[in-house]
Amino acid sequence: MNPVLIEVLRGSAVESLHAGALAIVDASGAVHTALGDIDRPIFPRSAVKLLQALPLVGRQRRGRGLATDRRRLGPGLRLAVADHDWAATAPGLVVRISVGIAGGMPPLQADKLLKRADEALYAAKRAGRNRAHVD
């Protein structure tokens, strides 16, 4: 059983408890700290999609991380999704993504950046499936 990681209080009353597992690993995948059943399969929801993309953003190609070039990031994410063995999840499953990318130099307000990224995503979707659009 996984330990309680979050306890939500309403005043002094416990409103809800949230159990889970976590692992801290290095770049080679070696586990340095673990809590709970880290080997149990999970099926993340939409809220963690950004976390799932983090390893792709930091991946080095020709000495540069994908994050250093917004124009390469979208195609890189699309390729990573296309290369994944989705049949292991469900036979015949094909997954594609559309990506909207925005960026800029500080000071940049988060709400404006998110609005630009959202507009870029809808531009990618309007262009067809499996597209990346950079603002």
Side-chain angles (χ1 to χ4, degrees):
M1 174 167 254
N2 287 323
V4 172
L5 301 175
I6 300 171
E7 181 180 87
V8 179
L9 302 175
R10 184 177 297 249
S12 61
V14 176
E15 184 172 86
S16 60
L17 300 172
H18 303 272
L22 63 92
I24 299 173
V25 300
D26 64 19
S28 72
V31 176
H32 289 276
T33 303
L35 185 63
D37 184 3
I38 63 169
D39 294 318
R40 180 180 176 198
I42 63 164
F43 300 96
R45 311 233 356 129
S46 297
V48 299
K49 286 180 181 174
L50 292 174
L51 295 176
Q52 291 172 306
L54 284 176
L56 303 172
V57 173
R59 182 178 291 162
Q60 294 292 312
R61 294 209 177 152
R62 294 188 192 104
R64 294 178 64 190
L66 287 173
T68 63
D69 185 346
R70 289 183 290 163
R71 303 219 177 266
R72 291 176 42 218
L73 178 59
L77 290 170
R78 288 180 38 239
L79 181 61
V81 168
D83 284 348
H84 183 74
D85 181 16
W86 294 104
T89 303
L93 179 63
V94 176
V95 177
R96 293 182 172 81
I97 63 169
S98 292
V99 181
I101 300 170
M105 298 299 292
L108 189 62
Q109 294 176 337
D111 59 338
K112 290 180 182 177
L113 181 61
L114 288 172
K115 183 176 189 285
R116 288 177 35 216
D118 196 44
E119 289 168 353
L121 174 60
Y122 282 99
K125 288 181 176 185
R126 281 191 301 272
R129 294 181 185 262
N130 199 31
R131 305 277 185 201
H133 183 85
V134 179
D135 79 330

